[in-house]
Amino acid sequence: MSLRTEEMVLNMGPQHPSTHGVLRLELVLEGEVVHDVKPHIGYLHRCFEKHAEAMTYPQVVPYTDRMDYLASMYNNFGYVEAVEKLMGIEVPERVEYIRVIMGELQRIASHLVALGTYGLDLGAFTPFLYLFRDREKILTLFEETCGARLLYNYMWVGGLSHDIHPDFVRKTKEFIDYFRPTVTELNELLTYNKIFIERTANIGVCPAKEAINLGLSGPNLRGSGVKFDLRKNDPYSIYNKFDFEIPVGEGLVGTVGDCWDRYYVRVQEIEQSLRIIEQAIDQIPEGDVKSAVPRRVKPPKGHIYHRVEAPKGELGYFIISDGTVNPARVKVRAPSFVSLSAIGEIAKGYLVADVVAILGSLDIVLGEIDR
Amino acid sequence: MKTPEEIFEILKSEFQDAVIEIDSELPVEPIIIVDPLKISKVAQFLRDNEELQFDSLMNLSGVDDNNGEKVTDEEGNVTVQGGTFSVYYHLHSTTIDHKVTIRVITDKDKPEVETVDPVWKASTWHEREAYDMYGIIFLNHPDLRRILLPDDWEGYPLRKDYENPEYYDGMKIPY
């Protein structure tokens, strides 16, 4: 005898602690098994692309801060590089070094939030507090440099808004010395915790080929075992001067491409970012950080697609210039936007409780999805 | 690795009329212009051809080319007639490591472009966004709904001739 069953639709969100913002997931379930996930987004839409068309090029920078608000430095980074490439500006070496250091500090800060809240989603409260304590130290470094803790407007087209202060190098080195051992602490607390592994290993497996086709990027793509990092594969700025590894998912406790792999890639990337900062911090050349800032930003007619390896993945700016001081079109390829669109494929066949684990492992920020 | 010019030659010999021209005058990145109603076959070829292997769609964006004719009527109201929309595809091959930009141009009056969703699943949401913001219809798209704006929104905000509505759902804007 077989029982008649039917699909049921359950709304998760828009107000839900594990959706990391206002996001509604429409879950199509049969019993506890997920058949489909349809995300509904746009609750945080604020017309970034329309605004940008009414602004001059430098005025767009503060708007980019507000997309991925956990990694504002990197949003600035991608945008100003795109405009500089379009205009053919060469920025001084000092600026490049400071940008890379700030970018990598930002990557660590963003990963700390990702890892901390991921633990929180799965019921581990303590790591969250520890990681936020350390993130605070990075934010203090930023605050001392440019006056803002989250939304910096630090990188300008052709330069930076402020030079680093005389104590910055010493304080950053102190931070590295303090911070490095805490990664081990995190591994003991969360990474190899049995309950955590039970919740994440073999869950949300995404094979490499599918991950590329779905457009996953950054740690999510590398979690699937694809050794692809724009800092190495499509180098921009001065990343080719530094020596660092690209960690990839290896399926240490489960299958390659599961939630734990995506999580662990982020843990390993923190160490690699520290290595880059260590190499860069001693070599910062002298110079004026504002010497290449143009008085008038007016790129020639043309278009450019420039992408950088933001903490959450490939952040691309597609800018069309019509030869005036306002961009004709700014389209942002936000990494979280594409990662979230893949959740339906990844979560198919797992249980309702796993949706929370899968969503958290993709590390999305609604600010850049809705723009 | 292939240059955009070589890729253009390969496409031209395979598809003849569907591949229109290569535009390499702009300062950066030459673009290959393709027929909007043949793009899905071209996309399939770009992905599966041994020499090309474009397995990754980096970005897909709708664009208002802002080239319509401005017409002023008797009361002095300016309206834009004609003109075109474009869709840009930025492709990358993770195996061969080369890039190309494809562009399709479609009429504003009847903006129809074939979907590339079966080729690159990454395009699903990008196409929905282009539909949401410009009203470009992607033929055969599995789920063409608004994505960022509410379902009952009227008009397409990123069009250059878009005018802000006075009311939304009976509420005055700005309230």
Side-chain angles (χ1 to χ4, degrees):
Chain A
M1 191 189 88
S2 68
L3 286 172
R4 195 179 68 90
T5 57
E6 59 183 42
E7 286 187 337
M8 155 187 166
V9 176
L10 181 74
N11 276 311
M12 186 171 136
Q15 305 296 338
H16 189 279
S18 74
T19 54
H20 299 265
V22 270
L23 161 71
R24 179 158 67 92
L25 295 176
E26 188 184 322
L27 308 178
V28 182
L29 308 170
E30 188 179 305
E32 263 204 275
V33 180
V34 176
H35 276 196
D36 198 6
V37 183
K38 289 186 195 144
H40 291 261
I41 61 173
Y43 293 93
L44 221 56
H45 181 56
R46 46 209 189 278
C47 322
F48 163 73
E49 288 169 11
K50 188 76 179 171
H51 272 300
E53 290 173 15
M55 299 287 151
T56 62
Y57 285 89
Q59 282 174 338
V60 177
V61 178
Y63 283 88
T64 64
D65 276 332
R66 283 149 183 82
M67 288 191 308
D68 180 357
Y69 43 78
L70 298 174
S72 300
M73 282 287 184
Y74 234 97
N75 295 349
N76 290 177
F77 200 170
Y79 176 76
V80 297
E81 278 219 324
V83 179
E84 281 158 10
K85 242 174 128 182
L86 197 57
M87 291 181 73
I89 299 177
E90 283 278 324
V91 297
E93 277 246 297
R94 184 178 178 82
V95 174
E96 297 276 26
Y97 273 93
I98 297 174
R99 278 184 187 171
V100 166
I101 293 168
M102 294 298 175
E104 293 308 311
L105 282 172
Q106 184 72 84
R107 185 184 313 279
I108 297 172
S110 168
H111 282 354
L112 289 179
V113 178
L115 303 176
T117 52
Y118 192 37
L120 198 61
D121 287 347
L122 301 179
F125 206 96
T126 321
F128 172 75
L129 299 173
Y130 280 31
L131 297 177
F132 264 61
R133 175 197 64 194
D134 299 337
R135 171 173 174 262
E136 200 61 28
K137 296 191 193 310
I138 299 179
L139 298 188
T140 309
L141 284 173
F142 288 154
E143 189 180 10
E144 286 168 352
T145 310
C146 63
R149 285 162 43 76
L150 287 172
L151 308 166
Y152 313 105
N153 188 17
Y154 182 59
M155 297 182 193
W156 286 1
V157 176
L160 303 167
S161 72
H162 300 75
D163 202 344
I164 49 172
H165 60 87
D167 259 357
F168 180 81
V169 173
R170 180 180 63 81
K171 286 194 170 168
T172 307
K173 281 182 180 166
E174 274 175 19
F175 168 74
I176 295 174
D177 291 339
Y178 155 80
F179 180 64
R180 189 164 260 148
T182 62
V183 179
T184 326
E185 196 179 70
L186 170 70
N187 283 340
E188 285 164 6
L189 258 177
L190 186 62
T191 312
Y192 293 108
N193 181 306
K194 184 154 191 329
I195 303 167
F196 181 71
I197 291 177
E198 292 282 321
R199 287 293 307 272
T200 54
N202 296 319
I203 301 293
V205 179
C206 187
K209 209 167 172 194
E210 180 152 342
I212 294 173
N213 197 274
L214 286 168
L216 293 186
S217 54
N220 297 333
L221 179 63
R222 292 192 282 278
S224 295
V226 183
K227 205 167 185 147
F228 185 80
D229 186 318
L230 294 173
R231 290 173 293 173
K232 276 252 198 286
N233 294 63
D234 192 2
Y236 53 94
S237 192
I238 49 165
Y239 274 107
N240 47 13
K241 289 190 183 174
F242 304 113
D243 176 33
F244 61 99
E245 314 265 307
I246 307 174
V248 291
E250 288 162 349
L252 282 183
V253 297
T255 323
V256 177
D258 60 10
C259 289
W260 193 87
D261 271 357
R262 287 192 282 272
Y263 162 89
Y264 195 54
V265 163
R266 292 192 176 91
V267 177
Q268 289 170 298
E269 274 184 14
I270 289 178
E271 171 59 27
Q272 300 307 323
S273 292
L274 288 175
R275 274 179 68 188
I276 296 176
I277 299 168
E278 269 181 334
Q279 291 167 49
I281 198 95
D282 284 327
Q283 302 176 31
I284 306 176
E286 289 300 314
D288 179 5
V289 294
K290 282 187 186 159
S291 62
V293 177
R295 288 181 71 87
R296 198 172 151 81
V297 183
K298 200 175 168 189
K301 228 174 154 179
H303 65 96
I304 190 164
Y305 178 73
H306 183 66
R307 52 182 188 161
V308 293
E309 183 74 31
K312 301 198 169 49
E314 174 181 333
L315 173 68
Y317 286 92
F318 177 53
I319 301 176
I320 297 184
S321 159
D322 53 3
T324 63
V325 292
N326 310 108
R329 172 85 167 111
V330 180
K331 152 94 185 178
V332 181
R333 186 249 194 238
S336 301
F337 183 78
V338 185
S339 301
L340 183 62
S341 73
I343 195 171
E345 296 288 330
I346 299 176
K348 211 167 270 176
Y350 293 97
L351 304 180
V352 181
D354 297 334
V355 173
V356 175
I358 293 167
L359 184 68
S361 76
L362 291 173
D363 184 22
I364 55 161
V365 159
L366 269 298
E368 72 174 357
I369 292 175
D370 293 342
R371 296 184 301 265
Chain B
M1 276 186 81
K2 296 237 179 296
T3 62
E5 286 78 16
E6 287 167 348
I7 294 166
F8 176 70
E9 289 308 321
I10 296 173
L11 287 179
K12 191 79 192 168
S13 61
E14 177 76 22
F15 289 101
Q16 289 95 33
D17 293 350
V19 181
I20 299 164
E21 58 172 324
I22 180 160
D23 181 354
S24 43
E25 273 179 35
L26 298 152
V28 265
E29 301 175 20
I31 317 173
I32 298 172
I33 300 176
V34 177
D35 185 339
L37 300 178
K38 306 264 170 60
I39 181 69
S40 108
K41 278 209 183 89
V42 177
Q44 186 82 40
F45 179 78
L46 281 164
R47 190 192 67 180
D48 295 338
N49 185 277
E50 277 298 307
E51 288 181 279
L52 302 174
Q53 299 187 23
F54 284 106
D55 50 359
S56 146
L57 176 81
M58 295 189 284
N59 189 21
L60 183 155
S61 34
V63 172
D64 186 339
D65 296 322
N66 200 17
N67 52 2
E69 212 176 309
K70 277 193 182 142
V71 182
T72 316
D73 66 7
E74 291 152 8
E75 287 163 25
N77 299 323
V78 182
T79 49
V80 179
Q81 289 186 347
T84 54
F85 289 135
S86 295
V87 179
Y88 286 79
Y89 305 82
H90 292 88
L91 309 177
H92 177 243
S93 164
T94 52
T95 44
I96 310 179
D97 194 27
H98 56 187
K99 291 189 215 168
V100 74
T101 309
I102 307 281
R103 174 185 180 186
V104 302
I105 303 172
T106 176
D107 278 339
K108 223 171 192 173
D109 301 328
K110 200 182 174 214
E112 288 184 347
V113 180
E114 273 189 349
T115 181
V116 294
D117 182 73
V119 185
W120 299 290
K121 277 185 245 165
S123 73
T124 318
W125 277 24
H126 286 304
E127 287 183 347
R128 275 179 68 188
E129 196 188 330
Y131 165 71
D132 196 2
M133 296 297 164
Y134 292 98
I136 300 171
I137 311 286
F138 289 90
L139 302 170
N140 305 327
H141 190 282
D143 187 22
L144 198 63
R145 290 177 288 128
R146 285 196 180 268
I147 184 165
L148 293 173
L149 298 175
D151 291 339
D152 57 353
W153 194 265
E154 284 172 18
Y156 302 102
L158 277 182
R159 289 186 176 189
K160 294 282 182 187
D161 56 352
Y162 178 75
E163 279 175 23
N164 292 336
E166 277 179 39
Y167 289 92
Y168 171 66
D169 259 1
M171 291 176 285
K172 189 145 176 31
I173 312 170
Y175 43 89

